[in-house]
Amino acid sequence: MKFRQPFFASLKRHPTYMKLIFYFVSANVLVLGISFVLLYGQSSKTLLEEIGDHSESLLVNGARNTSRLMEWALDFSFSSSNDSALKVYALSDHYSDFETYEVWSQLTDIKNANPSIDSVYLINDYTSTVIDSRLGLNDTATFYDQDIIKRLRDPETANHSVLIPRTLSLPLTGNTPKEVMTIVRFYEKGSSISAFVMNVDTQNLMTLLQNNSNFASRSITVLNDRDETIFSSTPMNPQQIAELRSHGMKGASGWKLFQPQDQGEKLVVYADSSVKGIQDWTFIEMIPKSAILNKITVLRDTSLILFLVLFAASLAVIILISKRVYSPIQELISRVMRQHQAEKPGLGVNANELEYLSSVFTSQHNQIHELTEQWRHNKFLGRERFLRDFLGETYHSAAEIRAQFVEWGIDLPSDELSVAIFRIDHFAEFSGVYPEKDRRLLRFAMSNIIQESLQSSRHKLQTVDMGDDHVAVVLSAPLSEEFAKELQVAGQLIQQYLSVGTTVAWGRTLPGLTDMHEVYLETYDLTQERFRFGHRSLIVKEWLPAAPGELYHLPVSQERQIAQAILKGDAAVILEVLRSAVVKLRELPYFECKMSLITLFMDIRRLIQEHSSQPLPSSWGLTSIEKQIIRQETMDNVMPWMEALITRTLEDITAARSQSKNIALIGQVDQFIESHLTDPNLSATMLADHLGLSVNYFRSLYKAETTQSITDKISEKRLTFICQELIASDSPIEPIVQHFGFSSLNTFYSSFKKVYGMTPAQYRKKYRAGDGGGEGVRQVKPIHSYICAQRRCCPKSHEMAAWDGPLFWSKINVNTWVDAARTDRCSNR
């Protein structure tokens, strides 16, 4: 006790040492445990695979040999049954004793030819006798094997008369049951049951299978393709057979682990074999898994003892190693604790030495990291701010600029500097979707890509985030095509990695540090040249002409072409003039190109307005055009918009002209129809000739404007006036119809009934029915409003020529009303 108590107290004071021992021991136990499990599992699996494959090979060979024995029995039975003496005897209706003896002797010889043959019968259905190799001549009714007689007499079982597995009760032995395979050869199938029957001893046939293995508790089962048990070393009921079949053991060979119901797990080996193509047999061998792994259990126990010995030895080694490993750690912890407590007195000590040591180191590391990051961040922000001010503002002296270069660690020379700008294309769309935070992140990524792309160059450079839509690069590279290509490659990398197109502009070389702001502004204005060069262009100041261009004005001849095209509604001519002008505009600098394009557009606007009766939409305004030019950014994007606007405007003007013309034309047609209703030749052809148009064009035009064919319109007008005349006069119907241009009465009657649903006589009778109410009473306009369209009537018959409106009736006598109307019309003449 005196020894143990200080030892455990020492361990308690050193928890880290205890953890080291615990971790080592745990790792050792884990490794040994995993090794033991893997060894046992792999050995069991390997043993099962070896035994399964070997058993499968033996079972396949045994199945083949057994099938060959059965095939030999089949061949022997069929060749023996073909003997003429046996066949004649089986089909004879009488025979002598000698003949019976000869046949019995022959059957006995067949039975003795092979020990697997149990017995041979010859059945004569004509004499109802059976000659048996065992008992001789028998009556069919008293024969001991009544099972085969019933099978042969039953048509269903008679069809399966080859290889019949069954149990035969042997005579003279107390009816001892015996498993046999019965082969039947009919002599007159369908007419009689006369047949040759051979019983093969199943036990003798399966001798080869039973000697395949030395496992005492194994079992052999043979099933045919109808799941009938041919042989089984252990009894199996139909449920067990069905359970075996459900696990896919038919038509193949192999092995698997299988656990039958209410039994232990077994290794099931199965093989399939065909007997002469008549039947397929499945051979199944089942070996208990416990019998296979009996010896492996002994190996496992031996291994476990060995592992325990190794564990004890490893534990001793672990304790010694842990002590040696822990000693320098303990010394380090002691020194750190003393120093830390001296720096921060009053702090407690963590019971876990490693955690305490880790917390001290982590705290110091975090402090160092925070100081470093703060220094880097402040330096980065300060340098960015200086460079942005350096480009965006004017410094007072070159000495001040050089001092700032030194302070912020900017490695650039004092002369031969230039500025390149990477300006984002379609920035208005981008800024409308993403907030400023994302836009700042995009410019940061652009700066990094530019820096990495150009850092292989021998020239010094510095990228600057200038905000909004561009990143500037301060360069010390002189003008060269090689470096211009490098700038273009940087723009391509931005497109590749960020899916953002950029226009790159490279300005002139800086004469002095104090001129950097002016050069930066010039370079930014240079990016506007993408208007004529297009997006993702490389624009170099030194490669552009120095002299400014002149504003472009549309020639007078082309103005005349546009004016004529507007009158004709021909947009193609206007667009052709516009495209030819744009080709010339591309040769001008950005400002002159933009102003010339606006002037060109205003000239086209003026010409369209002169030939249009309606005011142009707001999209033709100066402010709208200038906004579109700025929004589209390039000439290639502006042109489709301008062409679409011009085409749409001309279509609207043409449609307005066409609509106004068509309305006047329809009015002329209606007046002509009303003035020529009594003309039987009034038709679409007559109207087209009067208007100077083709018949087809006139028909389609009238139908499009009124949604009614010209023929229907003429018929409708005539029927309206005929109805008025029918009610207003007592004249016969035929003269009225002929007077209003209907040349065929059949056509008139058909049209009238189709529109009004009744005959003209019924119509007249219905709407002239009495004074006092009824259907014929309606509210009317004054009688004087119904006048002839031609302002004429017949003075003799007082028949009106035409009417200009629908008829409305008042509560007055019809005849009086008609007479008053006629008198009034004739007097007004």
Side-chain angles (χ1 to χ4, degrees):
M1 292 298 294
K2 291 182 180 180
F3 173 75
R4 288 183 180 179
Q5 195 168 8
F7 175 73
F8 285 110
S10 175
L11 292 179
K12 188 175 181 181
R13 290 194 302 269
H14 301 286
T16 305
Y17 183 56
M18 292 297 297
K19 286 186 178 181
L20 285 174
I21 295 177
F22 175 76
Y23 293 151
F24 278 123
V25 171
S26 300
N28 189 35
V29 171
L30 182 62
V31 171
L32 292 178
I34 293 174
S35 301
F36 173 74
V37 171
L38 291 176
L39 178 61
Y40 178 70
Q42 288 298 322
S43 61
S44 301
K45 183 178 179 181
T46 304
L47 183 62
L48 284 173
E49 290 178 355
E50 291 296 327
I51 292 176
D53 294 341
H54 182 65
S55 300
E56 178 189 352
S57 176
L58 292 177
L59 187 62
V60 170
N61 291 331
R64 290 175 181 172
N65 293 331
T66 303
S67 299
R68 292 192 186 100
L69 288 176
M70 193 68 249
E71 289 175 351
W72 176 90
L74 273 171
D75 293 339
F76 184 68
S77 66
F78 275 79
S79 61
S80 299
S81 64
N82 285 332
D83 187 86
S84 59
L86 297 179
K87 187 173 183 180
V88 169
Y89 187 87
L91 299 176
S92 299
D93 56 357
H94 65 277
Y95 42 79
S96 63
D97 292 340
F98 179 74
E99 290 174 339
T100 300
Y101 175 75
E102 287 293 330
V103 169
W104 177 78
S105 298
Q106 194 169 350
L107 294 178
T108 304
D109 292 338
I110 293 173
K111 187 267 178 189
N112 294 331
N114 192 297
S116 298
I117 301 175
D118 177 74
S119 57
V120 183
Y121 312 154
L122 190 64
I123 303 174
N124 189 325
D125 193 31
Y126 293 97
T127 60
S128 298
T129 58
V130 179
I131 297 182
D132 176 23
S133 62
R134 182 181 286 109
L135 299 179
L137 186 62
N138 302 270
D139 291 333
T140 303
T142 60
F143 187 54
Y144 66 90
D145 191 2
Q146 288 297 312
D147 176 64
I148 195 63
I149 302 298
K150 292 180 181 178
R151 286 177 180 266
L152 298 183
R153 292 190 186 279
D154 187 353
E156 294 185 2
T157 56
N159 290 331
H160 303 288
S161 59
V162 180
L163 302 180
I164 305 172
R166 61 196 187 95
T167 303
L168 179 63
S169 299
L170 299 179
L172 306 178
T173 59
N175 292 329
T176 304
K178 190 172 188 179
E179 300 295 329
V180 295
M181 287 293 299
T182 301
I183 304 171
V184 179
R185 173 70 186 281
F186 281 102
Y187 289 118
E188 289 181 334
K189 189 172 183 180
S191 300
S192 67
I193 65 169
S194 297
F196 177 86
V197 181
M198 177 185 289
N199 294 318
V200 180
D201 188 349
T202 305
Q203 188 72 25
N204 195 303
L205 185 67
M206 301 296 171
T207 303
L208 294 175
L209 287 176
Q210 298 181 69
N211 296 330
N212 269 349
S213 177
N214 294 326
F215 290 108
S217 54
R218 66 189 275 268
S219 62
I220 298 291
T221 301
V222 183
L223 305 174
N224 63 11
D225 48 14
R226 295 192 299 274
D227 288 345
E228 295 175 339
T229 303
I230 296 174
F231 172 76
S232 181
S233 59
T234 57
M236 294 186 66
N237 54 40
Q239 182 180 359
Q240 292 174 325
I241 294 174
E243 188 178 9
L244 277 176
R245 283 299 195 192
S246 66
H247 285 76
M249 300 174 182
K250 190 172 185 178
S253 62
W255 63 271
K256 63 170 61 175
L257 288 175
F258 169 61
Q259 186 172 3
Q261 189 175 5
D262 301 330
Q263 297 184 35
E265 194 172 16
K266 295 184 178 182
L267 176 68
V268 180
V269 186
Y270 48 94
D272 187 75
S273 180
S274 178
V275 180
K276 282 288 186 181
I278 300 173
Q279 274 191 6
D280 292 330
W281 287 3
T282 302
F283 297 79
I284 302 172
E285 180 181 7
M286 290 187 289
I287 308 170
K289 185 179 178 181
S290 58
I292 300 173
L293 301 180
N294 186 27
K295 295 181 180 180
I296 200 68
T297 304
V298 178
L299 177 62
R300 178 194 62 188
D301 297 339
T302 305
S303 301
L304 181 60
I305 295 172
L306 178 61
F307 282 143
L308 291 175
V309 174
L310 290 175
F311 174 73
S314 301
L315 183 60
V317 174
I318 286 171
I319 293 174
L320 294 176
I321 293 176
S322 300
K323 187 174 181 180
R324 288 183 174 272
V325 170
Y326 180 71
S327 296
I329 295 175
Q330 180 64 28
E331 183 178 354
L332 175 62
I333 291 172
S334 300
R335 287 202 305 269
V336 171
M337 282 184 175
R338 288 194 298 270
Q339 181 179 358
H340 189 63
Q341 288 176 352
E343 294 175 355
K344 297 182 179 180
L347 294 179
V349 180
N350 197 331
N352 190 326
E353 302 99 322
L354 290 181
E355 290 182 4
Y356 181 82
L357 184 63
S358 175
S359 63
V360 172
F361 286 161
T362 302
S363 176
Q364 293 178 351
H365 175 74
N366 290 338
Q367 291 178 2
I368 295 172
H369 179 72
E370 289 177 2
L371 293 174
T372 303
E373 288 298 319
Q374 185 177 3
W375 176 79
R376 289 178 180 175
H377 184 66
N378 292 337
K379 186 174 182 179
F380 176 79
L381 292 180
R383 182 170 55 188
E384 277 287 316
R385 190 181 304 109
F386 162 70
L387 288 173
R388 195 178 297 113
D389 295 341
F390 177 52
L391 295 177
E393 297 180 3
T394 304
Y395 271 80
H396 298 290
S397 64
E400 182 181 1
I401 297 174
R402 293 190 190 96
Q404 293 289 338
F405 278 8
V406 174
E407 179 180 355
W408 299 113
I410 298 173
D411 187 12
L412 288 174
S414 300
D415 53 0
E416 297 298 327
L417 292 178
S418 60
V419 176
I421 291 179
F422 289 77
R423 187 174 180 183
I424 301 172
D425 297 330
H426 303 292
F427 183 72
E429 300 176 5
F430 183 82
S431 60
V433 177
Y434 298 98
E436 174 58 27
K437 180 181 178 181
D438 294 338
R439 300 199 293 269
R440 187 165 55 250
L441 183 62
L442 174 65
R443 294 192 298 270
F444 177 75
M446 288 174 56
S447 300
N448 289 338
I449 292 174
I450 296 169
Q451 192 78 34
E452 293 181 5
S453 175
L454 301 178
Q455 67 181 359
S456 60
S457 173
R458 64 182 181 275
H459 306 294
K460 298 178 181 180
L461 57 96
Q462 186 67 49
T463 59
V464 189
D465 178 6
M466 298 302 296
D468 292 334
D469 62 348
H470 65 287
V471 172
V473 184
V474 182
L475 303 170
S476 64
L479 176 65
S480 65
E481 292 187 3
E482 180 182 357
F483 194 77
K485 290 181 180 179
E486 293 184 12
L487 292 174
Q488 194 169 19
V489 169
Q492 294 171 357
L493 290 176
I494 293 174
Q495 172 70 27
Q496 178 181 350
Y497 292 118
L498 302 180
S499 299
V500 173
T502 54
T503 298
V504 184
W506 189 11
R508 62 187 175 90
T509 304
L510 182 72
L513 290 177
T514 56
D515 299 325
M516 181 60 73
H517 174 65
E518 182 180 351
V519 173
Y520 161 72
L521 294 179
E522 289 179 2
T523 307
Y524 184 80
D525 289 339
L526 193 62
T527 60
Q528 301 285 11
E529 295 295 334
R530 68 182 177 183
F531 181 73
R532 55 190 181 119
F533 292 116
H535 286 138
R536 288 181 288 183
S537 301
L538 174 63
I539 306 166
V540 181
K541 175 70 173 178
E542 300 295 334
W543 296 349
L544 297 179
E550 296 181 357
L551 293 179
Y552 174 81
H553 294 282
L554 193 65
V556 176
S557 59
Q558 291 186 347
E559 284 192 9
R560 292 173 181 172
Q561 287 181 341
I562 293 176
Q564 294 175 0
I566 294 172
L567 289 174
K568 297 178 181 180
D570 190 357
V573 174
I574 302 176
L575 297 181
E576 183 63 28
V577 172
L578 182 65
R579 295 188 188 105
S580 63
V582 167
V583 173
K584 298 178 181 179
L585 293 182
R586 290 184 183 274
E587 301 174 359
L588 302 176
Y590 166 70
F591 179 78
E592 289 80 0
C593 178
K594 175 183 173 182
M595 296 306 298
S596 298
L597 183 62
I598 295 175
T599 303
L600 174 62
F601 208 75
M602 290 295 101
D603 290 341
I604 296 175
R605 176 185 182 278
R606 173 177 50 79
L607 293 172
I608 293 176
Q609 186 65 73
E610 289 176 356
H611 296 84
S612 174
S613 60
Q614 299 177 352
L616 295 180
S618 59
S619 53
W620 283 91
L622 178 61
T623 303
S624 176
I625 293 172
E626 188 172 7
K627 285 183 178 179
Q628 281 292 339
I629 291 175
I630 295 173
R631 184 182 299 111
Q632 300 298 336
E633 295 181 351
T634 65
M635 181 84 76
D636 294 334
N637 293 339
V638 172
M639 285 307 299
W641 171 78
M642 294 179 66
E643 292 177 358
L645 180 60
I646 292 172
T647 302
R648 185 170 62 251
T649 303
L650 284 184
E651 289 176 353
D652 294 341
I653 293 174
T654 303
R657 289 174 181 171
S658 176
Q659 185 177 7
S660 176
K661 181 179 179 181
N662 292 342
I663 290 173
L665 181 64
I666 298 303
Q668 294 179 23
V669 170
D670 289 342
Q671 291 177 5
F672 189 86
I673 290 173
E674 291 182 358
S675 62
H676 291 79
L677 277 177
T678 58
D679 189 347
N681 295 322
L682 179 63
S683 64
T685 304
M686 181 178 179
L687 285 165
D689 292 341
H690 174 72
L691 297 173
L693 302 173
S694 67
V695 177
N696 292 333
Y697 174 75
F698 171 66
R699 283 174 176 166
S700 60
L701 176 64
Y702 193 87
K703 183 70 177 288
E705 293 296 330
T706 65
T707 67
Q708 187 180 25
S709 68
I710 188 64
T711 304
D712 291 343
K713 185 65 176 179
I714 295 172
S715 179
E716 176 188 326
K717 288 279 188 180
R718 284 173 170 170
L719 289 176
T720 300
F721 286 100
I722 288 173
C723 288
Q724 296 171 2
E725 189 70 14
L726 286 174
I727 299 172
S729 71
D730 296 326
S731 301
I733 296 174
E734 287 76 4
I736 297 175
V737 172
Q738 293 175 358
H739 177 73
F740 282 102
F742 277 101
S743 59
S744 171
L745 290 177
N746 291 332
T747 303
F748 164 71
Y749 277 105
S750 177
S751 300
F752 192 94
K753 192 167 184 180
K754 180 179 179 181
V755 175
Y756 297 102
M758 62 184 76
T759 65
Q762 291 172 339
Y763 184 88
R764 171 180 276 177
K765 182 178 179 181
K766 180 178 180 180
Y767 292 105
R768 295 183 64 180
D771 293 341
E775 297 179 3
V777 179
R778 301 224 177 150
Q779 296 295 328
V780 299
K781 297 191 295 183
I783 189 65
H784 298 285
S785 64
Y786 300 101
I787 60 175
C788 175
Q790 294 178 308
R791 308 296 290 174
R792 63 187 176 87
C793 66
C794 179
K796 294 183 180 180
S797 61
H798 299 282
E799 292 179 356
M800 292 173 289
W803 296 80
D804 64 347
L807 185 63
F808 298 90
W809 293 96
S810 65
K811 296 181 180 179
I812 60 174
N813 182 274
V814 176
N815 294 327
T816 303
W817 189 89
V818 171
D819 292 339
R822 289 176 178 171
T823 303
D824 180 72
R825 293 180 58 214
C826 290
S827 62
N828 287 337
R829 186 178 177 186

